[in-house]
């Protein structure tokens, strides 16, 4: 199929009359630009159906890989699948050469300005920058003055948002200099597109991204503090609540650095350390994905709970390199834009290659007048990154609002800039089987090479498109999507490799441990193990209960499994204090099971347990493969959203529970299978064993330990709920014996569902953990060993013997002790291995100049002593 | 005037603190009219990190960290400071508000360039409409800048009541303007906001004020407080310190410790702890005169000269309203 040459357009592409804006792919309706011609030929030759089929697969992959971003709104955040369009943005070689050159120059310029603002401030003294832009700028962080590295670049990663004007020229609309996002998503986009359209990709000469990431990594390793040692570098993330947490973890994994949250790092002796299970491990360089002012509650934003107290001082003392340097957000001020051409002359005696969108800073008299004279043609924006403000288009205001805005601008003119209205270009997207135009901006990244070398621009980037043809807002929060960006080169390039390993010239240092394990990761793995087991146990219990109601729906049978029902209720925390003697109506149990499965609000329900699994798995997702996420997402799909009502069709329910059992077991197995046998894995196992033992103990205590009317039915249900029915049948056929059931579920060390089995595994794992503090076994460990010994020697007949009232006190006693010991063990492990993860708190002299109450101020005579004079 | 100042802060925690990071702004400033003879900071328990530095405003800040479990911290600053009289310009002869504004805007010299740092909003200084409206009557373009500032200070004295419990650190200037009650910190913030709303440069000064015992009584130890006041930039004369709480121009009764844009830059002790549970705080300050003016032996000729100038100045103040205010409770320094 030929494009561009035929008079008949192969793609119907609705253009709005004449060309009010530039279109990336078409010169006119149906006439594709030269550099798109071949692409369209390949792409469209696949046919609508094939494109749709492949794209469906890609979307599923994105969802199942957990490529997400968070949407905030109405009090809760929601995770959404990343939105990617199948048609890439193509940039021809000549265009790109100019963009690349312009981005390099701008990155270099901004780096110079940054060095000056946090150093000598000559630009202000020479009158090249008004002091308002610095001293009146909330993004200028005074504690960071004097911390700008001299021999290294201050900026390591610079990003620009670009738009193309109707005449085809690129303009910079925003500079991103704190912790620019998009480097990870761009890579993910490329992987997705090349996997689904390998043929189309191979047909075009597209520049590879891999070298860029290699240079990114090398640049970070070249930082003073990193000393070329990857274990001295971390990626600092605000954590899973951040909208683009996915990218942080993806990038950390791809670059091969540990992902840390503020709580994983601690400052000791003015040095930064990663808290690991083996103790504190020194960090020399931080790639921070956190805004400037959140990084240190001691010297920056006091209410930040995300940062690392003492970090600024560690930087001040030269003990850690931060990319980008703290305080670099000052460059994101739009008010700087009008001054860049002059500064470019001042520093390099060059013309600014890439212009910024026309911007007037209202802090200057003439500019203010100019803006107010043409108010209707202007978009008013905040001059500085904070406080945030939505852009105001002059022409959309009512007379009254207009007046109010003008008064506001006149009162504090330096806080505002006016920009020319930006007419974004359009680019084709594939929507509902059709090619349609959407407005587009482009985010490009540059990174500094080596210690203080030149700039390397990612040959590609992140295309961002609006949700509709009319909208001009590309933000994902507002429903926008993304595009892969293909930078076309003159010649054919190599096929991309998924692993993207590169041959490095240096000698390789062999290593058996991937990285040191942060304590928080161990904490998460421990709870992941517990939640997975909790979910599994709950499904088994629900299946056992459901089976009973289906097979024998009689009232008598329900009474028999009352014990089981009690366990279920207690487990999910839904027990109601009523109805000790009432016989529940036959469908009541089903409702309860329904709630135990679906109700997200019931703590301990399957739905909320799955939430907890996600919550604990996400921060450690760099520890297991994408396939694990696929399984989790499948479970979620099987669970469905029937939960709102708690309705539950029994036949269907059984089938779904069965499927979930298999998927959850597969998830557990896959996590286990792919994991290095490190202390992290041990914590996962410890969590799992601990939870299983506690659950079995709880179940037995709620059933076997009490007085029961129909023992045989109950024993059957209990055996099923503990996954031991099959073994029991093999050993005892149909003979119902309490002693035999107790032996199998508690004492038999060879049954992987018995408590004794869990205890012996716990002991094995705990013994292998890194030691904390003084040697020797801890109290809890001694108790655990003692308990284990008791289980091995105990007599099942003794435990099964009922008292006069029919209850089994000995059994009850033992189960209580087991539960108590397990609880204490869990507490002790938390204290010993995780508790320094406790978040820091702000402490402030709340009333330094306010009078203390009488009687509190009697600390007079303190002798003058040393303590280090100032 | 020579002082010995002892400023002690005690933190107690209900649970043990694993590690605590702090920055302390407790070392008095060295200025042309203030000499620090000795200043010691003692932290108990002894911190593993004890690392002083000079911040962007020229204050000496102590960064310290206690890295082992502790349930209480005592920070004691003991300083011997001598304050000399200074010559303040005749308010009526200072440049006009319009001229001052213009000089700062042009920032052609080092002096005005430094002042630029103190013209804008800062964490505690939000210049809303109500602030600007309150300030406006004092700052006609043609009024000499220092006279305008003194007028504002006089009006504030009339309009506001000193009330220790009326405000907290989070009370906004808008609320303060509504309730008209507060302490030295509030008055200083408001006055700075008013000055900046008029395009003038103003900064926050933290320090101590000499207090006099009630008539006929001995001065008690540890009953003093840290104090706050402001400094306004006057071209040609530099920073002139004014105490809006007591409606006076600062002389030798004020010992300055730190300057900044507002309280946030100079808070005496700021910290972050890991663990700790509930915390209680005690602060005690003692400002003792160890050498009254005239008894100092180490004065140079010029300093003696300046002192005699200021004696007359403080006498003129003494006969005024401020002196009686300082002698009667509530104590002035808040």
């Amino acid at each position: 199929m030929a494009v561009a040459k035929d008079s008949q357009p192969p793609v119907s592409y609705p253009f709005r009359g004449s060309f009010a804006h530039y279109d990336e792919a078409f010169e006119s309706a149906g006439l594709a630009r030269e550099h798109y011609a071949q692409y369209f030929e390949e792409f469209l030759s696949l046919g609508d159906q094939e494109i749709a089929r492949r794209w469906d697969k890609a979307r599923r992959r994105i969802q199942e890989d957990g490529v997400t971003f968070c949407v905030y709104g109405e009090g809760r955040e929601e995770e959404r699948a990343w939105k990617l369009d199948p048609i890439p943005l193509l940039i021809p070689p000549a265009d790109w050469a100019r963009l690349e050159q312009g981005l390099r120059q701008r990155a270099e310029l901004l780096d110079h300005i940054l060095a000056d603002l946090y150093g000598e401030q000559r630009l202000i003294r020479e009158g090249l920058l008004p002091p308002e832009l610095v001293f009146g700028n909330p993004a200028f962080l005074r504690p960071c003055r004097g911390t700008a590295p001299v021999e290294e670049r201050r900026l390591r990663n610079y990003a620009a948002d670009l738009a193309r004007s109707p005449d085809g020229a690129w303009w910079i609309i925003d500079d991103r200099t704190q912790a620019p996002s998009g480097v990870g998503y761009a890579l993910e986009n490329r992987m997705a597109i090349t996997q689904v359209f390998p043929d189309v990709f191979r047909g075009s000469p597209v520049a590879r991204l891999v070298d860029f990431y290699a240079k990114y990594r090398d640049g970070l390793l070249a930082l003073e503090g990193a000393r070329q040692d990857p274990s001295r570098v971390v990626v600092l993330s605000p954590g899973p609540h951040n909208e683009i947490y996915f990218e942080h973890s993806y990038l950390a994994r791809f670059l091969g650095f540990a992902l840390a949250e503020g709580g994983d790092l601690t400052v000791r002796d003015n040095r930064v350390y990663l808290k690991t299970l083996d103790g504190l491990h020194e960090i020399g360089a931080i790639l921070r994905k956190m805004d400037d002012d959140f990084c240190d509650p001691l010297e920056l934003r006091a209410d930040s709970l995300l940062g690392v107290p003492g970090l600024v001082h560690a930087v001040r003392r030269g003990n850690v390199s931060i990319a980008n340097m703290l305080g670099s957000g000052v460059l994101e001020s739009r008010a700087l834009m009008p001054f860049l051409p002059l500064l470019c002359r001042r520093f390099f005696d060059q013309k600014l290659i890439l212009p910024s969108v026309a911007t007037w800073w209202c802090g200057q008299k003439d500019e203010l007048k100019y803006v107010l004279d043409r108010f209707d043609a202007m978009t008013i924006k905040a001059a500085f990154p904070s406080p945030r403000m939505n852009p105001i288009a002059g022409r959309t205001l009512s007379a009254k609002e207009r007046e109010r805005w003008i008064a506001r601008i006149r009162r504090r003119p330096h806080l505002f800039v006016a920009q020319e209205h930006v007419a974004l270009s359009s680019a084709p997207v594939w929507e509902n089987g059709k090619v349609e135009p959407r407005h587009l901006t482009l985010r490009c990244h540059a990174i500094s090479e080596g210690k203080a070398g030149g700039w390397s621009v990612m040959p590609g980037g992140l295309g961002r498109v609006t949700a509709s043809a009319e909208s001009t807002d590309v933000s994902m929060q507002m429903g926008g999507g993304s595009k892969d960006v293909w930078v076309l080169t003159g010649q054919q390039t190599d096929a991309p490799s998924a692993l993207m390993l590169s041959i490095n010239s240096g000698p390789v240092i062999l290593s058996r441990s991937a990285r040191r394990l942060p304590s928080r990761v161990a904490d998460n793995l421990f709870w992941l193990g517990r939640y997975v087991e909790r979910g599994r146990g709950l499904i088994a219990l629900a299946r056992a209960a459901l089976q009973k109601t289906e097979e024998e729906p009689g009232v008598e049978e329900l009474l028999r499994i009352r014990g089981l029902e009690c366990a279920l209720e207690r487990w999910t925390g839904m027990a109601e204090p009523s109805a000790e003697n009432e016989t529940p109506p036959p469908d009541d149990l089903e409702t309860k099971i329904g709630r135990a499965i679906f109700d997200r609000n019931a703590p301990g329900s399957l739905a909320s347990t799955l939430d907890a699994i996600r919550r604990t798995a996400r921060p450690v997702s760099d520890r297991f493969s994408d396939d694990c996420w696929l399984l989790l997402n499948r479970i979620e799909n099987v669970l469905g959203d029937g939960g709102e009502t708690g309705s539950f069709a029994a036949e269907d329910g059984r089938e779904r529970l069965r499927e979930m059992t298999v998927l959850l077991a597969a998830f557990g197995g896959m996590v286990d299978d792919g994991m290095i046998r490190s202390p992290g894995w041990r914590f996962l196992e410890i969590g799992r064993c601990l939870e299983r033992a506690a659950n079995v103990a709880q179940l037995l205590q709620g059933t076997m330990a009490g007085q029961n009317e129909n023992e045989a039915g109950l024993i059957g249900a209990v055996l099923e709920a503990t996954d031991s029915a099959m073994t029991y049948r093999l050993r005892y056929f149909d003979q119902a014996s309490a002693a035999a059931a107790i032996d199998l579920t508690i004492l038999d060390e060879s049954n992987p569902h018995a408590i004794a089995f869990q205890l012996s595994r716990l002991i094995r794992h705990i013994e292998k953990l890194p030691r904390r503090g003084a040697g020797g076994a801890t109290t809890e460990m001694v108790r655990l060993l003692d308990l284990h010994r008791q289980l091995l020697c105990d007599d099942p007949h003794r435990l099964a013997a009922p008292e006069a009232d029919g209850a089994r006190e000995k059994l009850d006693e033992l189960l209580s002790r087991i539960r108590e010991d397990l609880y204490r063990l869990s507490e002790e492990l938390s204290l010993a291995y995780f508790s320094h993860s406790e978040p820091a708190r702000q402490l402030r002299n709340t009333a330094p100049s306010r009078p203390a109450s009488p009687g509190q101020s009697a600390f007079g005579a303190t002798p003058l002593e040393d303590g280090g004079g100032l | 005037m020579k002082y010995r100042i002892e400023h002690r802060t005690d933190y107690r925690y209900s649970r043990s603190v694993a590690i605590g990071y702090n920055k302390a702004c407790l070392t008095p400033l060295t200025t042309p009219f203030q000499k620090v003879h000795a200043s010691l900071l003692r932290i108990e328990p002894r911190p593993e990190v004890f690392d002083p530095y000079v911040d962007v405003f020229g204050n000496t800040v102590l960064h310290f960290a206690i890295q082992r479990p502790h349930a209480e911290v005592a920070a004691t600053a003991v300083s011997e400071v001598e304050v000399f009289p200074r010559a303040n310009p005749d308010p009526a002869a200072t440049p006009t508000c319009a001229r001052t504004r213009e000089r700062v805007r042009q920032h052609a010299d080092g002096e005005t360039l430094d002042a630029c740092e103190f013209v804008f909003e800062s964490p505690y200084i939000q210049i809303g409409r109500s602030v600007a409206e309150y300030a406006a009557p004092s700052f006609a373009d043609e009024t000499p800048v220092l006279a305008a500032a003194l007028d504002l200070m006089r009006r504030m004295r009339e309009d506001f009541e000193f009330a220790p419990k009326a405000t907290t650190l989070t009370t906004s200037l808008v609320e303060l303007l509504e309730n008209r009650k507060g302490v030295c910190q509030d008055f200083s913030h408001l006055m700075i906001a008013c000055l900046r709303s008029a395009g003038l440069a103003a900064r926050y000064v933290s320090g101590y004020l000499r207090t006099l015992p009630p008539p006929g009584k001995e001065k008690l130890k540890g009953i003093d407080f840290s104090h706050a006041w402001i400094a306004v930039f006057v071209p040609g004369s530099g920073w002139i310190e004014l105490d809006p709480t007591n409606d006076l121009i600062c002389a030798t009764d004020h010992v300055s410790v730190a300057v900044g844009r507002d309280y946030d830059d100079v808070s005496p002790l700021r910290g972050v702890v890991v663990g700790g549970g509930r915390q209680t705080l005690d602060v005690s300050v003692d400002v003792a005169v160890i050498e009254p003016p005239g008894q100092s032996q180490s004065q140079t000729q010029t300093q003696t000269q300046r002192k005699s100038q200021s004696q007359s100045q403080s006498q003129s103040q003494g006969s005024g309203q401020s002196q009686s205010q300082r002698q009667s409770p509530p104590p002035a320094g808040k």
Side-chain angles (χ1 to χ4, degrees), chain A residues 665-703:
Chain A
F667 175 75
M670 187 166 274
V671 168
D672 183 68
D673 191 47
M675 212 173 218
I676 293 291
R677 268 34 181 176
S678 64
W681 171 75
R682 291 198 189 281
F683 275 101
L684 185 80
E685 284 292 298
I686 288 170
R688 213 182 263 186
C689 295
L690 210 144
E691 181 77 21
R692 184 175 287 190
N695 288 343
V696 172
Q698 188 183 17
L699 178 70
L700 290 175
Q701 202 172 21
T703 52

Side-chain angles (χ1 to χ4, degrees), chain A residues 396-529:
Chain A
T396 63
L397 298 179
S398 69
K400 207 170 163 194
E401 286 172 329
R402 195 171 185 278
E403 215 167 281
R404 201 175 311 140
W405 271 101
I406 290 179
R408 222 175 126 184
I409 295 167
R410 278 190 193 283
R411 202 162 56 239
R412 318 280 302 157
H414 73 279
L415 296 180
F416 301 93
V417 294
Q419 287 186 333
E420 206 173 52
H421 176 70
V422 185
L424 299 180
S425 64
S426 61
V429 299
W430 182 261
E431 186 89 24
N432 304 320
K434 281 192 310 230
V435 177
E436 286 188 16
R438 292 285 184 273
H439 287 299
L440 168 125
T441 67
L442 171 63
R443 176 167 296 184
C444 290
H445 288 268
I447 46 122
S448 42
E449 292 175 22
K451 200 171 152 84
W455 294 87
S456 182
V457 178
M458 178 200 279
L462 192 64
R464 301 167 78 202
V465 288
T466 54
S468 69
E470 292 74 36
S471 166
T472 54
D473 193 339
V474 297
S475 81
M476 288 241 174
Q477 298 284 343
M478 301 303 290
S482 75
K483 271 181 176 302
D484 188 15
V485 177
W486 292 7
V487 169
L488 302 176
T489 61
Q491 70 272 10
Q492 210 70 18
T493 52
D494 314 337
S497 89
L499 250 181
M500 298 212 178
L501 294 175
S502 66
I503 302 296
N504 213 321
S505 52
V508 65
I509 297 154
L510 292 176
S511 160
R512 279 277 170 95
S513 68
R515 302 165 211 142
R516 286 161 203 274
L517 187 71
S519 299
R520 178 187 49 87
V521 172
D523 193 355
N524 270 301
L525 289 170
F526 173 73
W527 282 100
L528 181 63

Side-chain angles (χ1 to χ4, degrees), chain A residues 142 269 317 841 843 860 862, chain B residues 6 42 51 67 117 271 273:
Chain A
R142 285 155 187 82
D269 303 326
R317 289 297 175 239
R841 288 186 318 117
L843 166 86
T862 308
Chain B
E6 189 168 313
R42 196 173 54 136
D51 191 9
Q67 301 178 167
E117 173 68 283
V273 295

Side-chain angles (χ1 to χ4, degrees), chain A residues 173-285:
Chain A
I173 50 178
D174 268 312
D175 296 296
R176 305 280 170 204
T177 54
Q178 296 194 63
S181 59
V183 175
Y185 286 119
L187 184 62
E188 177 65 28
N189 281 357
R190 175 62 55 89
M191 300 251 198
I193 295 285
T194 51
Q195 272 179 19
V196 216
F197 299 112
D199 30 14
V200 183
F201 182 78
R202 269 196 303 272
S204 302
V206 182
R208 292 180 58 181
L209 298 180
V210 57
D211 296 343
F212 173 81
Y213 291 89
K215 282 180 188 156
Y216 196 12
R217 180 181 151 93
D218 289 349
L220 293 168
L221 286 173
L223 287 171
E224 182 74 34
R227 293 186 210 147
Q228 298 291 343
D229 175 0
S231 82
R232 287 178 59 87
V233 184
V234 294
V235 177
L236 176 62
S237 164
H241 294 291
N242 187 265
E243 60 172 342
I244 52 165
Y245 180 72
F246 165 81
E247 178 168 86
H248 303 159
S249 107
Y250 187 81
L251 197 61
R253 192 161 40 151
F254 193 79
L255 295 176
F257 301 131
L259 178 68
E261 292 171 28
D264 295 337
L265 300 180
T266 181
V267 176
R268 308 277 159 109
D269 303 326
N270 293 340
R271 292 172 186 279
V272 182
Y273 293 88
L274 179 66
K275 300 170 185 171
T276 77
L277 281 185
D278 308 308
L280 299 177
H281 175 70
E282 191 175 341
I283 296 302

Side-chain angles (χ1 to χ4, degrees), chain B:
Chain B
M1 187 80 80
K2 197 167 173 185
Y3 300 93
R4 182 182 186 277
I5 297 155
E6 189 168 313
H7 183 157
R8 179 175 167 130
T9 309
D10 284 86
Y11 283 106
R12 284 184 190 76
Y13 310 101
S14 63
R15 278 169 41 216
S16 175
V17 166
I19 179 163
Y21 308 88
N22 302 270
K23 64 187 262 241
C25 254
L26 291 166
T27 306
L29 284 169
T30 297
T31 69
F33 47 85
Q34 181 168 296
K35 185 175 177 192
V36 180
H37 288 280
S39 182
L40 285 174
L41 245 147
R42 196 173 54 136
I43 314 292
E44 289 168 298
R46 198 184 176 91
E48 282 84 354
V49 176
F50 188 98
D51 191 9
Y53 65 96
V54 176
D55 72 7
V56 283
F57 305 106
N59 306 310
T60 301
V61 181
L62 172 68
H63 176 96
F64 69 92
I66 302 169
Q67 301 178 167
R68 58 191 187 282
H70 57 283
E72 46 184 66
V73 178
T76 312
V78 182
S79 311
E80 284 187 15
V81 184
E82 191 164 4
V83 185
F84 308 115
R86 60 197 110 157
N88 287 320
D90 173 9
T94 54
T96 65
C97 290
R99 175 89 187 113
T100 306
R101 195 158 43 226
E102 205 44 43
R103 288 286 306 278
V104 174
R105 186 183 284 275
Q106 286 167 353
H107 57 85
D109 51 47
E111 186 191 55
T112 42
L113 186 63
D114 289 345
C116 285
E117 173 68 283
F118 304 95
V119 192
F120 307 104
E121 294 190 315
S122 50
Y124 282 102
I125 310 291
Q126 302 300 316
I127 305 172
R129 184 174 304 196
S130 57
V131 167
E133 279 169 6
Y134 182 77
S138 297
F139 295 96
D141 281 355
E142 292 315 308
T143 312
V145 62
L146 190 53
L150 291 173
D151 180 62
L152 170 70
M153 187 159 74
R154 178 193 54 77
R155 283 170 50 219
M156 281 181 60
R157 176 54 180 272
E158 284 165 8
D159 294 344
F160 288 82
E161 182 189 331
F162 181 87
K165 299 234 160 71
T167 53
T168 68
L169 260 182
T170 58
T171 305
S172 73
L173 294 179
V174 176
E175 289 169 82
L176 180 69
L177 273 165
E178 275 166 18
N179 301 328
R180 309 239 157 168
K181 283 178 191 161
V183 295
C184 63
Q185 198 177 315
D186 305 307
F187 301 149
S188 298
H189 281 155
L190 178 62
M191 188 165 177
I192 291 168
C194 288
L195 288 159
R196 290 188 195 166
S197 79
L200 304 171
R203 63 190 197 186
Y204 186 96
V205 187
S206 76
Y208 309 101
L209 175 65
R210 172 193 178 200
T211 53
L212 300 175
K217 304 237 169 114
E218 286 251 326
K219 183 174 177 303
L220 297 171
K221 217 170 170 193
I223 57 139
D224 298 322
F225 306 103
S226 51
H227 188 45
W229 57 96
I230 72 120
V232 59
F233 175 70
V234 177
S237 307
W239 295 97
I240 307 298
E241 296 185 22
L242 306 175
D243 181 348
T245 310
N246 298 299
D247 185 22
L248 54 79
I249 301 178
C250 300
T252 53
D253 286 346
H254 289 71
V255 178
S256 49
V257 171
V259 294
R261 292 168 303 154
D262 60 31
Y263 172 74
D264 198 56
D265 287 332
V266 298
S267 91
L269 203 53
R270 176 166 161 172
V272 175
V273 295
V274 176
R278 278 179 299 108
Q279 49 148 320
T280 56
L281 162 75
D282 284 333
V283 180
S284 90
V285 175
D286 186 67
V287 180
V289 175
I290 52 176
E291 215 173 90
Q295 293 181 11
S296 174
Q297 290 137 24
S298 60
Q299 292 307 303
T300 65
Q301 188 62 35
T302 47
Q303 278 164 339
T304 316
Q305 234 170 0
R306 280 164 107 188
K307 194 187 301 168
S308 61
Q309 269 176 8
S310 118
Q311 265 172 349
S312 62
Q313 189 177 31
S314 85
Q315 268 167 12
S316 69
Q317 279 172 13
S319 60
Q321 184 190 23
S322 56
Q323 181 75 14
S324 62
Q325 172 61 24
R326 273 183 283 135
Q327 284 187 342
S328 61
K334 246 80 4 37

